[in-house]
Amino acid sequence: MLNPIWLNTFKTLVDVGHFTHTAEKLHMTQPGVSQHIRKLEELCGHALIKRINKTFELTEQGKLVYEYAAKSADAEARLFASLEFDNPFAGVCKLSCSGSLALKLYPQLLSLQQAHLDLKIHLEAAPNQKIFNDLQTDMIDLGIVTQKPDERLFQSTVLGSETLCLVLPKLYKESEINTDLLCDIGVIDHPDAQHYLSIYFNACELESLSKINLDKLPKSGYVNQLSQILLPVSRGLGFTVLPKSAITNFVDSESLFVVRPKTEVRETLYLVQKRNRDLAQRYHTVNSYLARIFS
């Protein structure tokens, strides 16, 4: 590896064109400048300059090393400039949330990007655990989850809440909603199904569902594509629990029956990031925008 100090001395010498002036500029002695050049030549295995009385000419190898030194100095200058430049309306923002929430948020985040074209939104739909894993491995910088984060690993704020709905085929609209009926129909499983079912049955205040055993609930299908989860429900093949936003965006919502519980079931949304990680200013822009959406 080339010594950056020797490389800088060599570049300065070529730029200034004089050993004495180089020494003055670098606050060195002239023998010190000569020593740096000699050590750099030894490391490169070639003479870099040809001395002519009090002046010098670059050798062909010297021209290549000078070009390398100039590019390195320029790259370093750009790096330091970029470290100082933290535009709140420019750069890539990598965040993740549930698929249903992505349906709601993505169009609005695109509006933010349209207002600030140098801001690039990268949004991934994922279940809670993947979001936590991706935050830990720095695959994403922000996540919206429905599970309270581990405070030892993450810092979070409450962003808002989302309504959860028990959804059945429309043909059961006049039926009594109880454990036997749901077991007969079977659940359409998906990555967040157990989480949603548990929250819903515990909070809906429907006595007939409060003691349902999720482990023994028959599964009539599984799909991990959010846009497809309600399709088998609409065809009478099962029931499921999903956030209201997913139902609103389903094209055939007329074929669904959404149960009205005694108490609306709402799920807390947490805006989460890796603990002790300082995010760029552009993430403060996104955070403020998300806060306005949920306010």
Side-chain angles (χ1 to χ4, degrees), residues 1-15 19 22 26 28 31-46 48-49 51 58 62 65-66 68-70 72-73 76:
M1 181 178 178
L2 295 179
N3 186 306
I5 298 176
W6 302 345
L7 203 60
N8 181 60
T9 301
F10 173 69
K11 179 183 178 299
T12 305
L13 175 64
V14 176
D15 290 339
F19 274 88
T22 298
L26 297 177
M28 297 172 62
V33 173
S34 297
Q35 185 183 47
H36 281 190
I37 302 304
R38 185 172 63 255
K39 287 183 176 180
L40 185 61
E41 288 178 324
E42 290 173 357
L43 185 60
C44 292
H46 295 278
L48 302 179
I49 60 174
R51 291 170 175 81
L58 286 175
V65 173
Y66 175 76
Y68 173 81
S72 297
E76 183 178 281

Short mmCIF file of all heavy atoms in Angstrom, two decimals, residues 1-15 19 22 26 28 31-46 48-49 51 58 62 65-66 68-70 72-73 76:
data_model
loop_
_atom_site.label_atom_id
_atom_site.label_comp_id
_atom_site.label_asym_id
_atom_site.label_seq_id
_atom_site.Cartn_x
_atom_site.Cartn_y
_atom_site.Cartn_z
N MET A 1 0.86 -1.20 0.00
CA MET A 1 0.00 0.00 0.00
C MET A 1 0.89 1.24 0.00
O MET A 1 1.84 1.34 0.78
CB MET A 1 -0.92 0.01 1.24
CG MET A 1 -1.84 1.20 1.30
SD MET A 1 -2.93 1.11 2.74
CE MET A 1 -3.82 2.66 2.54
N LEU A 2 0.58 2.18 -0.87
CA LEU A 2 1.36 3.40 -0.95
C LEU A 2 1.15 4.27 0.29
O LEU A 2 0.01 4.46 0.73
CB LEU A 2 0.98 4.20 -2.20
CG LEU A 2 1.31 3.55 -3.56
CD1 LEU A 2 0.85 4.46 -4.69
CD2 LEU A 2 2.80 3.26 -3.68
N ASN A 3 2.26 4.76 0.84
CA ASN A 3 2.18 5.63 2.00
C ASN A 3 1.52 6.95 1.60
O ASN A 3 2.04 7.68 0.75
CB ASN A 3 3.60 5.87 2.54
CG ASN A 3 3.58 6.65 3.85
OD1 ASN A 3 3.00 7.71 3.93
ND2 ASN A 3 4.25 6.11 4.86
N PRO A 4 0.37 7.31 2.20
CA PRO A 4 -0.34 8.53 1.77
C PRO A 4 0.46 9.81 2.03
O PRO A 4 0.29 10.80 1.30
CB PRO A 4 -1.63 8.49 2.60
CG PRO A 4 -1.33 7.60 3.76
CD PRO A 4 -0.36 6.59 3.27
N ILE A 5 1.33 9.80 3.05
CA ILE A 5 2.13 11.00 3.33
C ILE A 5 3.17 11.20 2.24
O ILE A 5 3.35 12.31 1.72
CB ILE A 5 2.81 10.87 4.72
CG1 ILE A 5 1.74 10.78 5.81
CG2 ILE A 5 3.74 12.06 4.96
CD1 ILE A 5 2.30 10.56 7.20
N TRP A 6 3.88 10.11 1.86
CA TRP A 6 4.86 10.21 0.78
C TRP A 6 4.16 10.61 -0.53
O TRP A 6 4.69 11.40 -1.30
CB TRP A 6 5.58 8.88 0.58
CG TRP A 6 6.29 8.37 1.80
CD1 TRP A 6 6.60 9.07 2.92
CD2 TRP A 6 6.74 7.03 2.00
NE1 TRP A 6 7.24 8.26 3.83
CE2 TRP A 6 7.34 7.00 3.29
CE3 TRP A 6 6.72 5.86 1.25
CZ2 TRP A 6 7.91 5.84 3.82
CZ3 TRP A 6 7.29 4.71 1.77
CH2 TRP A 6 7.87 4.69 3.04
N LEU A 7 2.97 10.04 -0.75
CA LEU A 7 2.22 10.33 -1.97
C LEU A 7 1.83 11.81 -2.03
O LEU A 7 1.93 12.45 -3.08
CB LEU A 7 0.98 9.44 -2.02
CG LEU A 7 0.34 9.17 -3.39
CD1 LEU A 7 1.32 8.47 -4.31
CD2 LEU A 7 -0.92 8.32 -3.22
N ASN A 8 1.40 12.34 -0.89
CA ASN A 8 1.03 13.77 -0.85
C ASN A 8 2.25 14.66 -1.08
O ASN A 8 2.16 15.69 -1.75
CB ASN A 8 0.38 14.09 0.50
CG ASN A 8 -0.04 15.54 0.60
OD1 ASN A 8 -0.85 16.02 -0.18
ND2 ASN A 8 0.52 16.26 1.57
N THR A 9 3.41 14.27 -0.51
CA THR A 9 4.64 15.05 -0.73
C THR A 9 5.00 15.06 -2.21
O THR A 9 5.34 16.11 -2.77
CB THR A 9 5.80 14.46 0.09
OG1 THR A 9 5.46 14.47 1.48
CG2 THR A 9 7.07 15.28 -0.11
N PHE A 10 4.90 13.90 -2.86
CA PHE A 10 5.21 13.79 -4.29
C PHE A 10 4.25 14.65 -5.11
O PHE A 10 4.67 15.40 -6.00
CB PHE A 10 5.13 12.32 -4.72
CG PHE A 10 5.28 12.11 -6.19
CD1 PHE A 10 6.50 12.34 -6.83
CD2 PHE A 10 4.22 11.68 -6.96
CE1 PHE A 10 6.65 12.15 -8.19
CE2 PHE A 10 4.35 11.49 -8.32
CZ PHE A 10 5.58 11.72 -8.93
N LYS A 11 2.94 14.56 -4.83
CA LYS A 11 1.96 15.36 -5.57
C LYS A 11 2.22 16.85 -5.39
O LYS A 11 2.16 17.63 -6.35
CB LYS A 11 0.54 15.01 -5.11
CG LYS A 11 -0.55 15.83 -5.81
CD LYS A 11 -1.92 15.51 -5.26
CE LYS A 11 -2.98 16.36 -5.94
NZ LYS A 11 -2.78 17.82 -5.73
N THR A 12 2.52 17.26 -4.15
CA THR A 12 2.79 18.68 -3.89
C THR A 12 4.03 19.14 -4.64
O THR A 12 4.06 20.25 -5.20
CB THR A 12 2.95 18.90 -2.38
OG1 THR A 12 1.81 18.42 -1.69
CG2 THR A 12 3.14 20.38 -2.07
N LEU A 13 5.05 18.30 -4.66
CA LEU A 13 6.28 18.65 -5.38
C LEU A 13 6.00 18.88 -6.86
O LEU A 13 6.48 19.85 -7.47
CB LEU A 13 7.32 17.54 -5.21
CG LEU A 13 8.63 17.70 -6.00
CD1 LEU A 13 9.40 18.93 -5.53
CD2 LEU A 13 9.49 16.44 -5.90
N VAL A 14 5.20 17.99 -7.47
CA VAL A 14 4.88 18.13 -8.89
C VAL A 14 4.04 19.39 -9.11
O VAL A 14 4.26 20.14 -10.07
CB VAL A 14 4.14 16.88 -9.41
CG1 VAL A 14 3.72 17.08 -10.87
CG2 VAL A 14 5.02 15.64 -9.27
N ASP A 15 3.09 19.65 -8.22
CA ASP A 15 2.24 20.84 -8.36
C ASP A 15 3.05 22.13 -8.21
O ASP A 15 2.84 23.10 -8.95
CB ASP A 15 1.12 20.81 -7.32
CG ASP A 15 0.09 19.72 -7.59
OD1 ASP A 15 0.01 19.27 -8.75
OD2 ASP A 15 -0.63 19.33 -6.65
N PHE A 19 11.69 21.95 -4.92
CA PHE A 19 11.88 21.25 -3.66
C PHE A 19 11.75 22.19 -2.47
O PHE A 19 11.09 21.88 -1.48
CB PHE A 19 13.26 20.56 -3.65
CG PHE A 19 13.25 19.21 -4.29
CD1 PHE A 19 13.46 19.07 -5.65
CD2 PHE A 19 13.05 18.06 -3.53
CE1 PHE A 19 13.44 17.82 -6.25
CE2 PHE A 19 13.03 16.80 -4.11
CZ PHE A 19 13.23 16.68 -5.48
N THR A 22 8.22 23.36 -1.93
CA THR A 22 7.42 22.23 -1.43
C THR A 22 7.64 22.05 0.07
O THR A 22 6.69 21.84 0.84
CB THR A 22 7.78 20.93 -2.17
OG1 THR A 22 7.48 21.09 -3.55
CG2 THR A 22 7.02 19.74 -1.61
N LEU A 26 4.74 22.39 2.98
CA LEU A 26 4.40 21.25 3.84
C LEU A 26 5.01 21.36 5.23
O LEU A 26 4.89 20.42 6.02
CB LEU A 26 4.86 19.94 3.17
CG LEU A 26 4.19 19.60 1.84
CD1 LEU A 26 4.79 18.33 1.26
CD2 LEU A 26 2.68 19.45 2.00
N MET A 28 8.14 21.31 6.09
CA MET A 28 9.17 20.28 6.20
C MET A 28 10.53 20.91 5.84
O MET A 28 10.60 22.05 5.38
CB MET A 28 8.89 19.12 5.23
CG MET A 28 7.61 18.37 5.48
SD MET A 28 7.26 17.18 4.15
CE MET A 28 8.70 16.09 4.30
N PRO A 31 15.63 18.29 2.86
CA PRO A 31 16.05 16.88 2.91
C PRO A 31 14.90 15.93 3.24
O PRO A 31 14.86 14.81 2.77
CB PRO A 31 17.11 16.88 4.02
CG PRO A 31 17.64 18.26 4.02
CD PRO A 31 16.45 19.14 3.73
N GLY A 32 13.93 16.43 4.04
CA GLY A 32 12.76 15.60 4.36
C GLY A 32 11.93 15.33 3.13
O GLY A 32 11.42 14.20 2.94
N VAL A 33 11.76 16.35 2.26
CA VAL A 33 11.03 16.16 1.01
C VAL A 33 11.75 15.13 0.15
O VAL A 33 11.14 14.20 -0.40
CB VAL A 33 10.87 17.50 0.26
CG1 VAL A 33 10.26 17.26 -1.13
CG2 VAL A 33 10.01 18.47 1.05
N SER A 34 13.04 15.28 0.02
CA SER A 34 13.84 14.36 -0.81
C SER A 34 13.74 12.93 -0.27
O SER A 34 13.66 11.97 -1.04
CB SER A 34 15.31 14.80 -0.82
OG SER A 34 15.43 16.08 -1.42
N GLN A 35 13.73 12.80 1.04
CA GLN A 35 13.62 11.47 1.66
C GLN A 35 12.28 10.82 1.33
O GLN A 35 12.21 9.62 1.01
CB GLN A 35 13.81 11.57 3.17
CG GLN A 35 13.84 10.21 3.88
CD GLN A 35 13.96 10.35 5.37
OE1 GLN A 35 13.24 11.14 5.98
NE2 GLN A 35 14.87 9.60 5.96
N HIS A 36 11.19 11.58 1.39
CA HIS A 36 9.87 11.05 1.05
C HIS A 36 9.83 10.58 -0.40
O HIS A 36 9.27 9.50 -0.70
CB HIS A 36 8.79 12.12 1.28
CG HIS A 36 8.40 12.28 2.70
ND1 HIS A 36 7.32 13.04 3.10
CD2 HIS A 36 8.95 11.81 3.85
CE1 HIS A 36 7.21 13.02 4.42
NE2 HIS A 36 8.21 12.29 4.90
N ILE A 37 10.40 11.37 -1.31
CA ILE A 37 10.39 11.00 -2.73
C ILE A 37 11.20 9.73 -2.94
O ILE A 37 10.79 8.82 -3.67
CB ILE A 37 10.96 12.15 -3.60
CG1 ILE A 37 10.15 13.43 -3.39
CG2 ILE A 37 10.97 11.74 -5.07
CD1 ILE A 37 8.68 13.32 -3.66
N ARG A 38 12.38 9.67 -2.28
CA ARG A 38 13.23 8.49 -2.43
C ARG A 38 12.53 7.23 -1.91
O ARG A 38 12.57 6.17 -2.55
CB ARG A 38 14.56 8.71 -1.69
CG ARG A 38 15.57 7.56 -1.88
CD ARG A 38 16.94 7.89 -1.31
NE ARG A 38 16.89 8.07 0.15
CZ ARG A 38 16.96 9.25 0.74
NH1 ARG A 38 17.06 10.37 0.02
NH2 ARG A 38 16.91 9.34 2.06
N LYS A 39 11.83 7.32 -0.75
CA LYS A 39 11.14 6.17 -0.19
C LYS A 39 9.97 5.74 -1.08
O LYS A 39 9.71 4.54 -1.25
CB LYS A 39 10.63 6.50 1.21
CG LYS A 39 11.73 6.57 2.26
CD LYS A 39 11.15 6.83 3.64
CE LYS A 39 12.24 6.81 4.70
NZ LYS A 39 11.71 7.05 6.06
N LEU A 40 9.30 6.73 -1.68
CA LEU A 40 8.20 6.40 -2.59
C LEU A 40 8.72 5.69 -3.83
O LEU A 40 8.11 4.73 -4.32
CB LEU A 40 7.43 7.67 -2.96
CG LEU A 40 6.16 7.49 -3.81
CD1 LEU A 40 5.13 6.63 -3.08
CD2 LEU A 40 5.54 8.85 -4.18
N GLU A 41 9.84 6.15 -4.34
CA GLU A 41 10.45 5.50 -5.51
C GLU A 41 10.87 4.08 -5.19
O GLU A 41 10.68 3.16 -6.01
CB GLU A 41 11.66 6.33 -5.98
CG GLU A 41 11.27 7.64 -6.65
CD GLU A 41 12.47 8.47 -7.07
OE1 GLU A 41 13.49 8.47 -6.33
OE2 GLU A 41 12.40 9.12 -8.13
N GLU A 42 11.41 3.88 -3.99
CA GLU A 42 11.83 2.52 -3.58
C GLU A 42 10.62 1.61 -3.48
O GLU A 42 10.65 0.44 -3.89
CB GLU A 42 12.56 2.59 -2.25
CG GLU A 42 13.93 3.25 -2.32
CD GLU A 42 14.56 3.45 -0.94
OE1 GLU A 42 13.87 3.12 0.07
OE2 GLU A 42 15.70 3.94 -0.86
N LEU A 43 9.51 2.16 -2.94
CA LEU A 43 8.29 1.35 -2.80
C LEU A 43 7.71 1.00 -4.17
O LEU A 43 7.23 -0.12 -4.39
CB LEU A 43 7.26 2.11 -1.96
CG LEU A 43 5.96 1.37 -1.61
CD1 LEU A 43 6.26 0.11 -0.80
CD2 LEU A 43 5.03 2.28 -0.82
N CYS A 44 7.76 1.96 -5.11
CA CYS A 44 7.22 1.72 -6.45
C CYS A 44 8.16 0.88 -7.31
O CYS A 44 7.74 0.29 -8.31
CB CYS A 44 6.95 3.05 -7.15
SG CYS A 44 5.59 4.01 -6.41
N GLY A 45 9.45 0.88 -6.96
CA GLY A 45 10.42 0.13 -7.75
C GLY A 45 10.85 0.83 -9.02
O GLY A 45 11.41 0.19 -9.92
N HIS A 46 10.59 2.13 -9.10
CA HIS A 46 10.95 2.90 -10.29
C HIS A 46 11.29 4.34 -9.89
O HIS A 46 10.77 4.86 -8.89
CB HIS A 46 9.79 2.95 -11.29
CG HIS A 46 9.42 1.63 -11.86
ND1 HIS A 46 10.09 1.04 -12.91
CD2 HIS A 46 8.43 0.75 -11.49
CE1 HIS A 46 9.55 -0.12 -13.19
NE2 HIS A 46 8.54 -0.32 -12.34
N LEU A 48 10.77 8.13 -10.17
CA LEU A 48 9.56 8.89 -10.49
C LEU A 48 9.88 10.26 -11.07
O LEU A 48 9.05 10.85 -11.77
CB LEU A 48 8.69 9.04 -9.23
CG LEU A 48 8.24 7.73 -8.57
CD1 LEU A 48 7.40 8.03 -7.34
CD2 LEU A 48 7.48 6.84 -9.53
N ILE A 49 11.06 10.78 -10.73
CA ILE A 49 11.49 12.06 -11.29
C ILE A 49 12.94 11.94 -11.77
O ILE A 49 13.72 11.11 -11.28
CB ILE A 49 11.38 13.21 -10.25
CG1 ILE A 49 12.26 12.93 -9.03
CG2 ILE A 49 9.93 13.43 -9.84
CD1 ILE A 49 12.31 14.08 -8.04
N ARG A 51 16.13 14.32 -11.98
CA ARG A 51 16.63 15.60 -11.50
C ARG A 51 17.53 16.24 -12.55
O ARG A 51 18.45 15.60 -13.08
CB ARG A 51 17.39 15.41 -10.19
CG ARG A 51 16.47 15.02 -9.02
CD ARG A 51 17.26 14.59 -7.79
NE ARG A 51 16.40 14.33 -6.65
CZ ARG A 51 15.72 13.20 -6.46
NH1 ARG A 51 15.79 12.22 -7.35
NH2 ARG A 51 14.97 13.05 -5.38
N LEU A 58 9.27 14.62 -14.75
CA LEU A 58 8.63 13.35 -14.39
C LEU A 58 9.03 12.25 -15.36
O LEU A 58 9.09 12.48 -16.58
CB LEU A 58 7.10 13.50 -14.40
CG LEU A 58 6.46 14.27 -13.24
CD1 LEU A 58 4.96 14.41 -13.50
CD2 LEU A 58 6.70 13.56 -11.92
N GLY A 62 6.51 8.19 -13.14
CA GLY A 62 6.15 9.31 -12.29
C GLY A 62 4.83 9.93 -12.69
O GLY A 62 4.03 10.35 -11.84
N VAL A 65 2.06 7.71 -11.34
CA VAL A 65 1.90 7.85 -9.89
C VAL A 65 1.26 9.20 -9.56
O VAL A 65 0.39 9.29 -8.68
CB VAL A 65 3.25 7.70 -9.17
CG1 VAL A 65 3.10 8.01 -7.67
CG2 VAL A 65 3.78 6.28 -9.34
N TYR A 66 1.65 10.26 -10.29
CA TYR A 66 1.04 11.58 -10.05
C TYR A 66 -0.46 11.54 -10.37
O TYR A 66 -1.27 12.09 -9.63
CB TYR A 66 1.73 12.65 -10.89
CG TYR A 66 1.04 13.99 -10.74
CD1 TYR A 66 1.22 14.77 -9.60
CD2 TYR A 66 0.15 14.45 -11.73
CE1 TYR A 66 0.56 15.98 -9.45
CE2 TYR A 66 -0.51 15.67 -11.57
CZ TYR A 66 -0.31 16.42 -10.43
OH TYR A 66 -0.97 17.61 -10.27
N TYR A 68 -2.41 8.99 -10.22
CA TYR A 68 -3.05 8.25 -9.13
C TYR A 68 -3.20 9.14 -7.89
O TYR A 68 -4.25 9.16 -7.24
CB TYR A 68 -2.22 7.01 -8.79
CG TYR A 68 -2.69 6.26 -7.57
CD1 TYR A 68 -3.75 5.36 -7.63
CD2 TYR A 68 -2.07 6.46 -6.33
CE1 TYR A 68 -4.18 4.67 -6.51
CE2 TYR A 68 -2.50 5.79 -5.20
CZ TYR A 68 -3.55 4.89 -5.30
OH TYR A 68 -3.98 4.22 -4.18
N ALA A 69 -2.15 9.89 -7.56
CA ALA A 69 -2.17 10.76 -6.38
C ALA A 69 -3.23 11.85 -6.53
O ALA A 69 -3.94 12.19 -5.57
CB ALA A 69 -0.80 11.38 -6.16
N ALA A 70 -3.34 12.42 -7.73
CA ALA A 70 -4.32 13.47 -7.97
C ALA A 70 -5.74 12.94 -7.82
O ALA A 70 -6.61 13.59 -7.23
CB ALA A 70 -4.11 14.06 -9.36
N SER A 72 -6.66 10.32 -6.06
CA SER A 72 -6.89 10.00 -4.65
C SER A 72 -7.23 11.24 -3.85
O SER A 72 -8.13 11.24 -3.00
CB SER A 72 -5.64 9.32 -4.06
OG SER A 72 -5.37 8.10 -4.71
N ALA A 73 -6.49 12.34 -4.13
CA ALA A 73 -6.75 13.60 -3.43
C ALA A 73 -8.14 14.13 -3.77
O ALA A 73 -8.86 14.64 -2.89
CB ALA A 73 -5.68 14.62 -3.78
N GLU A 76 -10.76 12.02 -1.98
CA GLU A 76 -10.79 12.36 -0.56
C GLU A 76 -11.54 13.67 -0.33
O GLU A 76 -12.34 13.80 0.60
CB GLU A 76 -9.37 12.46 -0.02
CG GLU A 76 -9.31 12.73 1.49
CD GLU A 76 -7.88 12.77 1.99
OE1 GLU A 76 -7.31 11.69 2.18
OE2 GLU A 76 -7.36 13.89 2.18
#
